[in-house]
């Protein structure tokens, strides 16, 4: 609910800023609920067909990637999880291949087979509880992306009881598909808020870059800073987004370390990734969160093509060289900026 409110607020801010700069081309907008969040799409200079095509694409993927059977037929991942294997649409196979590559590159910090553990903590049913150590020990062998194969549009899980979850990358994939549609329709300017994953497509009507807010982890309805972006997908994973207080009084977040099966508690409050690829931005926002500060820095130095802003509980903002140029801290916030190069 909180997340929906935040998405709606960001959308309202974007609307205000767009309205203020006298658009030269007609603005068309749409909004929908998908993937358990609220999404908004604003496109400039479109015919209208692109908007309906983007919406249809999001709705189809939402059903296909669902891990429950609430969304009716077409729930391809739910069926693969039930049967241990199954044919999927080319889009889902494409996402699975890209996600598996990221799982390998991040050495399993991102692991698309973490669902049995995510379910055990109650993050799907919203019936939260702390699992026993015995229960986790039983489930952990099922968390192993190396036991997933994807060939000829068929996904196969090599161990009985394994389950796939594309929750960490799905919104990024939607961002990629949507911007593909807009690009091929020769559209020049659009901003999509897919619930924590933003596609800043082209630039604003006045030729300025889009201004994308980074949520204040203490109050996610406001922004602690802004990124100026053109043609980028910006994804944030925040511990504040979905969490619960356990019987022990500790707060447990929905981002889980696949090696331990336990929600990450490493002093990081949020990770925002900026890159050209939605799957990469979304997947790495989760993975770098799991890695923690030092491993994330090492990963950044060894891999190119992305930048990040990492906020920590001791009020520091770790900002990579590429992001530093486009990042500004909002008035009234006193984060210490630590530059990563
Ligand atoms: P959000 O969905 O809130 O934007 P993320 O992109 O970080 O946040 O994805 C978190 C979701 O991904 C969780 O709700 C869970 O379903 C799943 N998940 C949690 N930990 C991992 C992990 N280490 N690897 C892959 N998926 C994860
Ligand atoms: Mg993610």
């Amino acid at each position: 609910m909180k997340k929906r409110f935040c998405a709606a607020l960001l959308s309202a801010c974007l609307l205000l800023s767009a309205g203020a700069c006298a658009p030269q081309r007609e603005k068309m907008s749409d909004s929908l609920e998908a993937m358990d969040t609220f999404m908004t799409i604003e496109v400039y200079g479109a015919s209208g067909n692109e908007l309906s095509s983007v919406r249809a694409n999001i709705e189809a993927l939402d059903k296909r990637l669902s891990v429950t059977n609430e969304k009716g037929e077409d729930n391809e991942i739910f069926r693969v999880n039930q049967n241990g294997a199954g044919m999927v649409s080319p889009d889902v196979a494409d996402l699975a291949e890209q996600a598996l590559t990221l799982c390998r590159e991040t050495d399993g910090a991102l692991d698309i087979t973490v669902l049995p553990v995510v379910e055990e903590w109650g993050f799907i049913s919203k019936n939260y509880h702390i699992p026993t150590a015995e229960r986790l020990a039983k489930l952990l062998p099922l968390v192993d992306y190396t036991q997933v194969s994807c060939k000829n549009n068929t996904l196969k899980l090599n161990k009985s009881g394994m389950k796939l979850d594309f929750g960490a990358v799905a919104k990024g994939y939607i961002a990629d598909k949507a911007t593909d549609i807009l690009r091929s329709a020769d559209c020049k300017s659009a901003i999509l808020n897919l619930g924590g994953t933003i596609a800043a497509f082209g630039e604003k009507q006045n030729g300025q870059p889009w201004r994308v807010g980074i949520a204040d982890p203490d109050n996610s309805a406001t922004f602690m800073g802004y990124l100026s972006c053109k043609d980028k997908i910006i994804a944030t994973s925040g511990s504040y987004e979905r969490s619960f207080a356990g019987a022990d009084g500790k707060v447990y977040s929905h981002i889980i370390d696949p090696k331990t099966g336990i929600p990450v508690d490493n002093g990081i409050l949020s990770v925002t990734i900026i890159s050209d690829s939605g799957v990469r931005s979304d997947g790495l926002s989760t993975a770098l969160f799991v890695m923690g500060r030092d491993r994330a820095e090492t990963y950044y130095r060894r891999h190119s093509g992305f930048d990040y802003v990492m906020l920590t509980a001791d009020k520091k903002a770790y900002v990579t060289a590429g992001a530093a140029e486009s990042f500004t801290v909002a008035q009234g916030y006193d984060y210490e900026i630590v530059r990563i190069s």
Side-chain angles (χ1 to χ4, degrees):
M1 204 57 212
K2 197 169 150 199
K3 192 166 174 181
R4 271 186 204 153
F5 173 73
C6 186
L9 186 88
L10 176 56
S11 153
C13 294
L14 293 168
L15 270 169
L16 283 174
S17 61
C21 63
Q24 298 120 37
R25 283 170 291 188
E26 196 192 342
K27 181 178 103 180
M28 300 186 90
S29 54
D30 195 4
S31 62
L32 71 159
E33 273 193 55
M35 312 221 154
D36 210 16
T37 190
F38 185 73
M39 303 186 171
T40 59
I41 307 157
E42 289 170 23
V43 180
Y44 295 84
S47 68
N49 294 338
E50 304 84 346
L51 266 193
S52 43
S53 166
V54 166
R55 171 185 266 270
N57 213 280
I58 294 175
E59 286 173 342
L61 278 165
D62 188 25
K63 285 185 188 148
R64 288 174 186 155
L65 297 173
S66 176
V67 295
T68 68
N69 61 358
E70 285 162 15
K71 303 231 161 94
E73 286 171 30
D74 300 334
N75 49 4
E76 298 175 358
I77 296 305
F78 174 76
R79 281 190 286 111
V80 169
N81 288 349
Q82 291 270 298
N83 305 328
M87 275 278 279
V88 293
S89 314
D91 270 0
V92 174
D94 177 26
L95 170 59
E97 274 165 14
Q98 290 191 54
L100 284 169
T101 302
L102 272 181
C103 292
R104 282 189 289 272
E105 270 183 31
T106 61
D107 194 23
L110 180 78
D111 192 320
I112 53 168
T113 63
V114 81
L115 186 61
V117 171
V118 171
E119 281 180 335
E120 184 63 28
W121 284 88
F123 285 108
I124 304 296
S125 64
K126 314 243 167 39
N127 189 6
Y128 305 109
H129 80 283
I130 304 170
T132 61
E134 292 74 33
R135 189 74 193 125
L136 279 183
K138 235 180 159 159
L139 293 172
L140 271 179
L142 303 176
V143 180
D144 184 357
Y145 69 91
T146 67
Q147 296 306 307
V148 180
S149 71
C150 180
K151 276 193 198 106
N152 305 323
N153 293 341
T154 300
L155 282 171
K156 191 165 176 297
L157 309 173
N158 291 333
K159 282 188 202 169
S160 153
M162 281 181 83
K163 287 179 178 179
L164 294 168
D165 171 18
F166 292 97
V169 284
K171 287 177 278 177
Y173 190 68
I174 285 180
D176 289 337
K177 297 308 276 186
T179 49
D180 281 352
I181 292 169
L182 297 176
R183 203 168 290 115
S184 57
D186 213 20
C187 185
K188 299 280 185 285
S189 174
I191 185 99
L192 285 74
N193 181 357
L194 307 170
T197 298
I198 311 284
F201 180 78
E203 56 194 22
K204 287 206 299 200
Q205 287 280 280
N206 60 6
Q208 293 295 308
W210 293 106
R211 198 158 169 258
V212 176
I214 296 183
D216 170 5
D218 295 327
N219 174 11
S220 59
T222 59
F223 301 122
M224 58 66 64
Y226 296 92
L227 288 161
S228 297
C229 300
K230 288 184 184 183
D231 273 322
K232 295 286 175 205
I233 316 279
I234 302 102
T236 298
S237 287
S239 54
Y240 53 85
E241 276 175 10
R242 209 169 304 174
S243 59
F244 73 98
D248 58 0
K250 262 184 80 175
V251 174
Y252 294 95
S253 96
H254 69 315
I255 298 166
I256 291 189
D257 184 341
K259 304 269 192 304
T260 62
I262 296 173
V264 176
D265 178 19
N266 58 9
I268 296 177
L269 301 178
S270 76
V271 179
T272 297
I273 306 277
I274 307 113
S275 88
D276 294 340
S277 149
V279 173
R280 197 169 172 74
S281 290
D282 205 358
L284 288 184
S285 70
T286 309
L288 267 62
F289 201 114
V290 172
M291 286 179 194
R293 209 163 60 71
D294 293 347
R295 271 179 71 205
E297 282 182 30
T298 307
Y299 184 88
Y300 170 72
R301 293 192 180 108
R302 289 188 185 154
H303 297 84
S304 55
F306 76 96
D307 279 286
Y308 69 78
V309 176
M310 177 185 279
L311 304 181
T312 54
D314 56 359
K315 280 271 151 42
K316 289 187 178 152
Y318 294 85
V319 184
T320 59
E325 289 147 29
S326 61
F327 177 64
T328 48
V329 176
Q331 260 193 345
Y333 286 91
D334 57 353
Y335 279 86
E336 181 192 333
I337 308 284
V338 183
R339 219 178 142 123
I340 310 293
S341 48

